[in-house]
């Protein structure tokens, strides 16, 4: 079961915007995230959830999509995320927690897949602009990641890394998204 979830948990960048996520579904994902491990059990991450069309439209301009796809500016209207979870470090509770935010984000992404959704973990974010847009206190909170979520509207295929070793993702003429992955033998240290 876990293997199926992990193998199904791909990065999606195009969504069916008409399929909305509820606040309750997002709260369930945050509940999964809050149960992950934290250094010194600090539990210093906070989560801001957004699911309305208006909120999604406000958040979208602060995000940077798919740097490897040089001729693509991100999803067009109708294919944008239905919801977002903004992962914040509460700086009054200790230093920024990059490792914990990654573990937490992946846990929430697996939960989204289990619910029939998909998403994209965005680290390329105009943080000051997004904080201002959302009214986030930048003295107290650091934006770590943004999870863009929704019903996937694209096909993502995992393919073996070619002989040249290039792991750069790409799309074909039909907009199928390909993600090269190294083989198990290639990642085992011997």
């Amino acid at each position: 079961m876990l293997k199926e979830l992990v193998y199904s948990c791909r990065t999606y960048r195009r969504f069916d915007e008409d399929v909305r996520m509820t606040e309750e579904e997002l709260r369930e994902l945050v509940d999964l995230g809050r149960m992950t491990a934290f250094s010194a059990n600090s539990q210093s991450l906070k989560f801001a959830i957004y699911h309305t069309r208006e909120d999604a439209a406000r958040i979208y301009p602060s995000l940077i999509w798919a740097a490897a796809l040089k001729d693509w500016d991100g999803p067009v209207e109708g294919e944008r995320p239905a919801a977002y979870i903004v992962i914040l470090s509460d700086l009054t509770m200790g230093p920024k927690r990059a490792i914990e935010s990654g573990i937490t984000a992946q846990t929430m992404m697996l939960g989204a897949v289990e619910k029939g959704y998909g998403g994209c973990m965005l680290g390329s974010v105009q943080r000051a602009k997004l904080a201002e847009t959302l009214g986030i206190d930048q003295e107290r909170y650091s934006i770590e990641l943004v999870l863009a979520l929704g019903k996937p509207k694209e096909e993502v295929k995992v393919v073996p890394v070619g002989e040249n070793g290039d792991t750069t993702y790409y799309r074909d003429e039909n907009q199928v998204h390909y993600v090269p992955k190294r083989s198990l033998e290639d990642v085992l240290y011997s």
Side-chain angles (χ1 to χ4, degrees), residues 139-154:
E139 298 283 322
R140 179 171 180 174
Y141 298 103
S142 168
I143 295 173
E144 299 299 319
L145 290 170
V146 175
L147 301 185
L149 300 161
K151 185 73 174 171
K153 191 178 181 176
E154 68 181 334

Side-chain angles (χ1 to χ4, degrees), residues 21-32 47-52 82-85 108 115 147 149:
M21 292 182 74
T22 66
E23 181 178 353
E24 182 58 31
E25 289 173 315
L26 295 171
R27 289 176 63 90
E28 289 171 6
L29 296 179
V30 169
D31 192 42
L32 289 175
F47 308 91
I49 58 176
Y50 302 94
H51 64 92
T52 68
Y84 294 94
I85 298 175
M108 291 191 288
K115 292 178 176 298
L147 301 185
L149 300 161

Side-chain angles (χ1 to χ4, degrees), residues 151-163:
K151 185 73 174 171
K153 191 178 181 176
E154 68 181 334
E155 184 179 0
V156 176
K157 291 186 175 183
V158 173
V159 295
V161 170
E163 292 194 21

Side-chain angles (χ1 to χ4, degrees), residues 7 9 11 47 53 58 61 74-75 81 94 101-102 107 118 122 131 168 177 180:
Y7 275 58
C9 190
T11 297
F47 308 91
R53 289 183 187 274
R58 290 180 343 159
S101 62
T107 301
L122 293 159
T168 305
H177 191 89

Side-chain angles (χ1 to χ4, degrees), residues 32-93:
L32 289 175
R34 76 177 182 87
M35 295 303 293
T36 60
F38 284 84
S39 297
N41 200 29
S42 67
Q43 302 176 54
S44 58
L45 295 180
K46 302 288 184 190
F47 308 91
I49 58 176
Y50 302 94
H51 64 92
T52 68
R53 289 183 187 274
E54 296 77 21
D55 285 337
R58 290 180 343 159
I59 292 168
Y60 182 82
S62 298
L63 307 175
I64 302 165
W65 293 86
L69 302 175
K70 302 295 184 205
D71 59 346
W72 191 66
D73 295 328
V76 296
E77 285 190 43
E79 294 185 345
R80 293 182 178 162
Y84 294 94
I85 298 175
V86 180
I87 301 175
L88 307 162
S89 280
D90 184 337
L91 301 174
T92 66
M93 300 175 81

